[in-house]
Amino acid sequence: MFNLVLFGPPGSGKGTQATNLIEKYKLVHLSTGDLLRNEIANKTPLGLEAKKIMDEGQLVPDEVVIGIIDNCLEKNALAQGFLFDGFPRTLNQAKALDKLLELKKTQIDLVLALQVNEEELVRRLLERGKTSGRSDDTSEEVIRKRFQVYSNDTEPVAQHYKEADKFKAIPGEGSIDDIFARLSAAIDDYKSEQ
Ligand code: B4P
């Protein structure tokens, strides 16, 4: 089994790169952002609660997203591996994920962190906001709020994986194909060392 975390600030290209990586490495894609937007589209009670929080650029409570991930792991018990996209986003989520995987006698193998400067991130998200219908992408104020939340709540997750020697930074600027090649090279290096 091979379990990968794709890490990085909002708009760093996690979702974009995940689409190609899951195909190449035959992984199940678990994007908490997509799963939450699915709940919103289906107007479930969870979705209605999550929408308000996401529209403000805040994080949905840990217990909600951990529950969603637990469910997905159960549903995909035969998977060859998972790509976690946008999860974990807090230290609590990272610790809960370690425990869930330990129960399944597996673990996170590698954390690849996309590095992109903030002005480029704002540009990408405002651009996506023109067509995506995502209300969290249309206001620069909400986008800046998401970066603040990222630096307060999500950056400590990087330290958690650095201490476990699983963390690798990947330059996230340039063409989508070039970034995909960098991510693939890091995964192939890791696999060849096992
Ligand atoms: P997410 O859905 O995870 O979204 P994201 O961080 O905005 O985007 P991502 O990094 O995937 O960027 P993308 O590839 O799309 O989160 C949304 C919200 O959900 C959060 O704010 C939070 O409220 C909630 N949430 C999700 N997970 C949670 C959790 N675990 N706990 C609590 N709350 C949670 O790329 C962005 C844009 O850039 C795209 O338009 C793309 O086309 C473009 N792009 C990508 N690569 C590019 C490149 N190389 N060059 C130019 N443009 C590029």
Side-chain angles (χ1 to χ4, degrees), residues 9-16 32-33 36-37 54 58-60 65 85-87 89 93 120 123-125 128 134 136 146 174-176 179:
S12 55
K14 303 180 297 285
T16 304
T32 38
L36 289 166
R37 280 185 289 276
M54 289 165 74
Q58 303 281 4
L59 294 179
V60 173
V65 277
D85 161 6
F87 180 90
R89 255 180 161 95
Q93 292 180 17
E120 166 71 4
R123 193 194 63 71
R124 287 185 189 180
L125 292 174
R128 181 172 68 184
R134 278 181 57 170
D136 58 343
R146 287 161 66 192
S175 77
I176 289 171
I179 298 162

Side-chain angles (χ1 to χ4, degrees), residues 110-160:
L110 191 58
V111 178
L112 296 179
L114 291 167
Q115 318 273 301
V116 178
N117 84 72
E118 190 164 319
E119 292 321 303
E120 166 71 4
L121 294 171
V122 174
R123 193 194 63 71
R124 287 185 189 180
L125 292 174
L126 287 173
E127 191 58 36
R128 181 172 68 184
K130 289 181 191 163
T131 52
S132 66
R134 278 181 57 170
S135 38
D136 58 343
D137 281 348
T138 42
S139 141
E140 185 164 339
E141 196 187 330
V142 172
I143 291 173
R144 300 266 180 206
K145 174 74 201 165
R146 287 161 66 192
F147 294 144
Q148 205 184 324
V149 170
Y150 178 81
S151 97
N152 289 343
D153 297 347
T154 308
E155 272 177 358
V157 174
Q159 191 55 31
H160 175 75

Side-chain angles (χ1 to χ4, degrees), residues 32-120:
T32 38
D34 287 350
L35 292 163
L36 289 166
R37 280 185 289 276
N38 200 27
E39 297 281 340
I40 294 173
N42 290 323
K43 298 195 166 58
T44 65
L46 193 162
L48 294 175
E49 191 198 330
K51 180 166 174 24
K52 277 188 246 151
I53 299 170
M54 289 165 74
D55 282 354
E56 287 169 7
Q58 303 281 4
L59 294 179
V60 173
D62 284 342
E63 57 277 17
V64 173
V65 277
I66 292 165
I68 291 179
I69 287 289
D70 191 11
N71 250 332
C72 289
L73 292 177
E74 286 299 322
K75 275 191 204 146
N76 292 282
L78 300 177
Q80 294 178 31
F82 293 93
L83 188 161
F84 296 93
D85 161 6
F87 180 90
R89 255 180 161 95
T90 65
L91 206 46
N92 266 341
Q93 292 180 17
K95 289 180 180 167
L97 180 61
D98 287 345
K99 286 201 187 121
L100 286 176
L101 293 177
E102 203 180 310
L103 287 172
K104 293 175 197 326
K105 310 226 175 312
T106 183
Q107 57 169 358
I108 291 300
D109 290 283
L110 191 58
V111 178
L112 296 179
L114 291 167
Q115 318 273 301
V116 178
N117 84 72
E118 190 164 319
E119 292 321 303
E120 166 71 4

